[in-house]
Amino acid sequence: MEWKKKLSGNSSKTRRWGHRHGGGHADPSVDEHGKRFQEWCCVVLCFSLITYNLVHLLLLASWEHTPLVMLGVVAGALIADFLSGLVHWGADTWGSVELPIVGKAFIRPFREHHIDPTAITRHDFIETNGDNCLLTLLPLLNMAYKFHTQSPEALKQMYPWECFVFCLVIFCTFTNQIHKWSHTYFGLPPWVTLLQDWHIILPRKHHRIHHVSPHETYFCITTGWLNYPLEKIGFWRRLEDIIQCLTGEKPRADDMKWAQKVK
């Protein structure tokens, strides 16, 4: 295939790694203009819905909900962190870049990221967040529909639950942006480095552990809170053992071949 030939090319125009690397969307089999339009639409719609829902949540806020809201915020962050780890682990560990559709669109960017971890820092805001915004549109639309149709009494009863869902959606939406920040070592806004230092979002030093070959640990990339406990109980290794026992597939086998092929 043509894009594979370009991997080994010396021309800076087609270079896959280094300062001219354009990331996962550089595959010429992808409709760049269509993809870019989709990302723009998803980001604009997603952030419009986030604003709409946040305004309604603030208008409905009450002190009596504070304990449950705080619990929901923490739970939302934890679940988002676990989901980011599950997706990251799955894409890093199983499957092949040769798989139809999924291989190019989903698995390949993760494998490339191991070869050139800083490529993500050269993606702009739209490219970084477009896909995640697409994934969170449905729960945001559902929340907006409730605010538009439900009575104030019903909204008051479901308020803590909606705060939990909103927090989960926010962390999921910004997972790729947080991941990008964890690879950015210059020019970050002070408030971002403060959130990293306080471990509210994934810290840079913390995420470096994952990028030690063979990339078999610390998969959670939203807050990173679950990385240490999951590692202590051997969660990912146990899960890999079960899948290997059931299927005979070896974890990260294609990741190793991919890295050797690129080198």
Side-chain angles (χ1 to χ4, degrees):
M1 295 176 68
E2 185 64 22
W3 65 268
K4 288 184 183 177
K5 295 178 183 177
K6 290 186 178 182
L7 282 171
S8 59
N10 294 323
S11 168
S12 63
K13 187 176 181 180
T14 58
R15 186 175 178 181
R16 295 298 303 165
W17 320 118
H19 74 285
R20 295 298 300 274
H21 174 35
H25 294 320
D27 184 347
S29 66
V30 176
D31 179 3
E32 291 291 332
H33 297 293
K35 177 65 174 174
R36 185 69 173 177
F37 178 73
Q38 173 210 306
E39 290 170 344
W40 263 104
C41 291
C42 290
V43 169
V44 171
L45 183 55
C46 179
F47 279 86
S48 298
L49 288 168
I50 286 174
T51 303
Y52 179 86
N53 290 329
L54 178 60
V55 168
H56 282 76
L57 287 173
L58 292 175
L59 290 174
L60 290 167
S62 173
W63 285 109
E64 66 182 277
H65 293 133
T66 301
L68 287 177
V69 168
M70 293 178 65
L71 180 63
V73 168
V74 174
L78 283 170
I79 293 175
D81 198 40
F82 178 76
L83 291 175
S84 75
L86 191 64
V87 172
H88 190 183
W89 166 80
D92 274 6
T93 308
W94 308 105
S96 165
V97 295
E98 307 295 341
L99 289 173
I101 303 176
V102 176
K104 292 180 183 179
F106 182 66
I107 296 176
R108 180 169 169 250
F110 282 87
R111 306 296 162 85
E112 288 182 342
H113 181 61
H114 291 165
I115 305 299
D116 185 3
T118 62
I120 191 175
T121 66
R122 296 183 288 279
H123 295 176
D124 64 14
F125 186 84
I126 300 298
E127 185 176 1
T128 299
N129 299 287
D131 290 339
N132 279 36
C133 286
L134 173 62
L135 293 174
T136 55
L137 281 179
L138 189 59
L140 285 171
L141 283 167
N142 182 57
M143 185 179 296
Y145 177 77
K146 290 180 182 178
F147 285 137
H148 185 69
T149 60
Q150 296 290 331
S151 67
E153 293 75 18
L155 290 173
K156 186 176 181 180
Q157 289 183 348
M158 65 177 68
Y159 185 80
W161 171 257
E162 296 304 324
C163 287
F164 158 72
V165 173
F166 185 76
C167 182
L168 173 61
V169 166
I170 290 295
F171 273 101
C172 288
T173 299
F174 282 98
T175 289
N176 280 349
Q177 184 65 51
I178 293 169
H179 185 203
K180 175 182 175 178
W181 284 333
S182 75
H183 286 285
T184 305
Y185 289 89
F186 303 99
L188 282 177
W191 63 271
V192 173
T193 57
L194 189 65
L195 291 175
Q196 291 176 333
D197 292 342
W198 288 356
H199 211 141
I200 296 175
I201 62 175
L202 183 69
R204 290 166 289 183
K205 186 176 181 180
H206 179 94
H207 185 53
R208 284 205 299 266
I209 298 172
H210 171 73
H211 281 275
V212 176
S213 184
H215 315 287
E216 61 184 1
T217 187
Y218 277 45
F219 292 101
C220 299
I221 55 173
T222 303
T223 63
W225 297 347
L226 292 176
N227 281 322
Y228 181 75
L230 291 176
E231 177 65 16
K232 289 298 288 183
I233 65 174
F235 178 82
W236 303 115
R237 288 189 295 276
R238 294 174 190 274
L239 202 54
E240 288 166 11
D241 290 342
I242 293 172
I243 293 175
Q244 186 173 5
C245 181
L246 293 174
T247 66
E249 294 292 324
K250 186 178 180 180
R252 285 170 295 280
D254 186 71
D255 193 27
M256 299 300 181
K257 291 188 291 184
W258 170 257
Q260 292 169 3
K261 178 170 58 178
V262 171
K263 290 178 183 179

